[in-house]
C-alpha cells in the first residue's frame, strides 16, 4: 500500500508535500490551487493538508515567514479540485504579523463557497532566543520498528485513504486496539510520523502532522467521521531533521463533541508544535 | 480591597459583569461600548473581559446563542474608553454558526484602530445530548477557606488592579509562592473563581474566567507583563451555579513564548471550559 522509502529522500521545497500545497499568486492576496486528491482520508480532504495550503498563502502575503499560531474554523467540506485562497493582512509588526485567510471552492454556477477561514500570527522562528524551559516530556512510544503502519495489516478504514500513501506513519500498538476490534477506551493516539518520500519536517508540514493520525474517537469505541469544527496550532520551533513523534489525547468527550490535543516532538526532543481541535462525534 | 460578598447576589443579566460587557447595536453588525476601567490588571484591560465583550456582540449577530469555540488574536493593547465591535456572519447552519468580529478603538484623529480580531463558532449548549465521558478529573485544590485572595495580603502586583475588586479569587497556596518571593518554578496556577457581586457563571463569564488568574509566568520566576498573542476557548457546557475552579498549566516555556492551558470546572464537577493561549514573556 505505502511506497517503500525512496533511496534518495525528497527535500524541503521539492517533494510531494511541497508540490501539493503550492499556491499560485494570481494577484495580491489571491492564490489559486488545485487541491490534491492525494491527501484524502475516507474521501475527505485532510484538514491538516488544507491548513498547510492556507499557511503557505499567508507566508507569501505576510512579511514574516513562519506560522506561530494559526486558528482555523472549518465551514464546509473541501473536495479535490480547484480552489482559491484570499488573504488579508490584519497587522504587521516588528516581530509578529497577523493575517486572515479563507479558502473557497466553486459551486455548480462557479460561485465561491467558503470552506475554511483562518486567523494567524506569523513571526520568524529563526530569530527566537534559544532559551528552553520546557517541562513537558516526550511521549512514551516504543521504537519505530515496534510500531505499525497501514502497510502492516489490512486497510482498517474503508474508502479512499490516499493520504496513507503519502505518510510514514507507525502507530504505537497501545493505541491500535481499534484496528483489531478492541478499542482501549482511552482517548489516546500516538505515532511516529514522517512523509513517505523522506522529506524532512518544516513548519508547514507540522500543520499537517497535528491532524494526520487516526481519530482518538476510534480508541474510545466510536466509529464514523469525526469532523473538525475548529483547530488551533502553535508552531514553537523549527523541527530538526528526522522522524517526528505525535501524541494526541482526548480528555473531554461530552455532548457530542470532543477535543484532541496534539503534541509534536522532533528528533532532538523539542516540543515543536502543540494543537487543540474541537471535533464532533456521532455517539454510539 | 475586595468588597465583601453582597447579601443579595447579583443575577445573570443584572450584574457588574453584564453591565460592563453590554454592547449597544448601532446598526446590523455594528456595536458600541465604553470599555470599563473596572477590569484592568496592571493598567491593561483584561483579555478575557475583552473576549466576553466580543462574545456578546457575536451572540447578538449570530442565530445561535452560545460560543462553542472562539479564537482571538490580540493586535494592540486596549484602553478603557470608547470602542466599536464590527461583526460578520461567516456561515449559518442548523446546529452551528460561524462569525467573525473585530474590536476597534479610536486614535487621536478618530480613526479606528483594530485591537482584537476573533473567529467563533456558536451553537446551543442547551441542545447538546447529556452524554458525558470526560476522563479528565477536577484539579486538586484545597477547600476555598484554605485558599487566599488579594484581600488576604498586601497587593502583590503594583499598578491598577481594579479587576481584583470585581472577582472572588482564592488562589491555591501551592501556586502562591510568587507573591511571597518564592516562586515554585512550576508553571501552574489554580484558584477558586467567582464574581465579587455573587453573579453565577454563564458561558460569557467563562470567557473571562480563563484569563483572570495571575500568569503562570510568576511561578516560573518571571516578572513583568505577559501579553496574550492568541487565545482559543472551548465552552463545553453551561456552568452550574456556584464557584468555579480554574486550573492553569504551562509546559512549554521556550524562545520567549509560553502556552497557558486553562480548565474551568463547575460545582457539579463538569469540565465546562478549556482554553489555550500563546503569550510572550520577557526572559529573566
Amino acid at each position: 500500500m505505502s511506497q517503500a522509502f525512496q533511496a534518495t529522500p525528497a527535500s524541503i521545497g521539492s517533494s510531494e508535500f511541497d508540490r501539493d500545497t503550492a499556491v499560485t499568486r494570481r494577484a495580491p492576496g489571491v492564490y489559486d490551487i488545485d487541491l490534491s486528491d492525494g491527501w484524502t482520508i475516507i474521501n475527505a480532504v485532510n484538514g491538516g493538508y488544507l491548513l498547510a495550503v492556507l499557511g503557505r498563502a499567508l507566508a507569501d502575503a505576510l512579511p514574516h515567514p513562519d506560522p506561530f499560531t494559526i486558528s482555523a474554523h472549518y465551514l464546509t467540506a473541501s473536495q479535490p479540485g480547484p480552489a482559491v485562497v484570499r488573504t488579508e493582512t490584519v497587522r504587521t509588526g516588528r516581530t509578529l504579523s497577523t493575517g486572515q485567510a479563507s479558502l473557497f471552492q466553486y459551486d455548480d454556477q462557479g460561485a465561491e463557497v467558503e470552506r475554511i477561514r483562518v486567523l494567524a500570527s506569523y513571526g520568524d522562528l529563526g530569530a527566537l532566543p534559544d532559551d528552553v524551559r520546557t517541562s513537558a516530556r516526550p511521549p512514551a512510544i516504543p521504537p519505530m520498528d515496534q510500531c505499525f503502519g497501514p502497510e502492516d495489516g489490512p486497510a482498517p478504514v474503508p474508502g479512499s485513504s490516499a493520504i496513507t500513501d503519502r505518510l510514514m506513519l507507525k502507530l504505537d500498538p497501545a493505541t491500535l486496539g481499534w484496528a483489531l476490534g478492541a478499542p482501549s477506551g482511552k482517548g489516546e493516539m500516538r505515532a511516529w510520523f514522517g512523509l513517505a518520500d523522506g522529506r524532512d519536517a518544516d513548519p508547514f508540514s507540522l500543520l499537517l502532522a497535528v491532524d494526520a493520525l487516526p481519530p482518538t474517537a476510534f480508541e474510545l469505541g466510536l466509529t464514523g467521521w469525526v469532523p473538525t469544527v475548529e483547530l488551533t496550532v502553535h508552531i514553537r520551533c523549527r523541527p530538526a531533521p528526522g522522524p517526528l513523534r505525535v501524541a494526541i489525547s482526548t480528555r473531554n468527550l461530552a455532548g457530542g463533541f470532543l477535543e484532541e490535543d496534539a503534541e509534536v516532538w522532533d528528533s532532538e526532543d523539542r516540543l515543536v508544535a502543540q494543537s487543540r481541535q474541537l471535533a464532533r462525534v456521532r455517539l454510539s
Side-chain angles (χ1 to χ4, degrees), chain A:
Chain A
M1 181 181 311
S2 164
Q3 300 176 38
F5 264 110
Q6 295 173 208
T8 308
S11 55
I12 294 172
S14 178
S15 73
E16 288 182 307
F17 176 75
D18 296 293
R19 285 189 295 275
D20 290 346
T21 57
V23 293
T24 304
R25 193 195 323 162
R26 188 204 309 173
V30 185
Y31 302 85
D32 294 305
I33 183 171
D34 205 68
L35 293 177
S36 167
D37 63 2
W39 303 85
T40 52
I41 184 77
I42 326 179
N43 294 318
V45 182
N46 174 263
Y49 162 74
L50 293 168
L51 192 59
V53 169
L54 285 146
R56 287 216 189 274
L58 281 166
D60 184 87
L62 295 174
H64 292 93
D66 302 313
F68 273 34
T69 171
I70 181 163
S71 318
H73 286 246
Y74 291 79
L75 309 168
T76 56
S78 296
Q79 306 296 330
V84 58
V85 178
R86 297 185 179 277
T87 66
E88 174 192 350
T89 298
V90 178
R91 177 178 184 270
T92 60
R94 188 176 55 84
T95 57
L96 289 178
S97 298
T98 301
Q100 177 179 315
S102 293
L103 185 145
F104 300 86
Q105 289 191 295
Y106 304 95
D107 69 13
D108 295 341
Q109 283 77 53
E112 291 185 7
V113 180
E114 193 167 4
R115 299 294 193 213
I116 304 163
R117 187 176 293 202
V118 309
L119 282 179
S121 290
Y122 274 54
D124 182 352
L125 288 167
L128 295 182
D130 52 17
D131 183 280
V132 179
R133 289 179 55 183
T134 306
S135 63
R137 304 316 310 149
I141 180 170
M144 202 186 302
D145 61 7
Q146 293 171 32
C147 294
F148 300 95
E151 67 281 4
D152 298 311
V157 184
S160 171
S161 301
I163 196 174
T164 60
D165 292 340
R166 311 245 124 50
L167 303 179
M168 183 288 292
L169 201 62
K170 297 285 188 182
L171 273 69
D172 184 340
T175 66
L176 258 177
W178 58 274
L180 305 168
S184 69
K186 294 197 286 186
E188 297 177 359
M189 196 63 62
R190 288 181 294 276
W192 293 90
F193 177 95
L195 294 166
D197 63 8
R199 175 202 193 272
D200 283 321
D202 74 348
F204 298 102
S205 72
L206 292 181
L207 299 178
L208 168 71
V210 299
D211 193 48
L213 269 56
T216 54
F218 287 1
E219 279 287 79
L220 291 166
L222 302 173
T223 58
W225 197 31
V226 189
T228 303
V229 175
E230 181 270 333
L231 167 62
T232 296
V233 188
H234 296 177
I235 305 296
R236 299 296 309 274
C237 182
R238 285 189 183 287
L244 303 171
R245 283 157 291 169
V246 182
I248 305 182
S249 70
T250 290
R251 297 163 63 247
N252 194 13
L253 166 60
F257 287 82
L258 60 76
E259 95 291 10
E260 279 200 3
D261 281 4
E263 294 186 350
V264 185
W265 296 82
D266 75 1
S267 60
E268 294 183 359
D269 281 354
R270 285 295 305 273
L271 179 47
V272 295
Q274 293 170 270
S275 73
R276 175 174 291 158
Q277 66 171 273
L278 184 71
R280 304 182 78 158
V281 290
R282 269 170 207 75
L283 304 173
S284 61

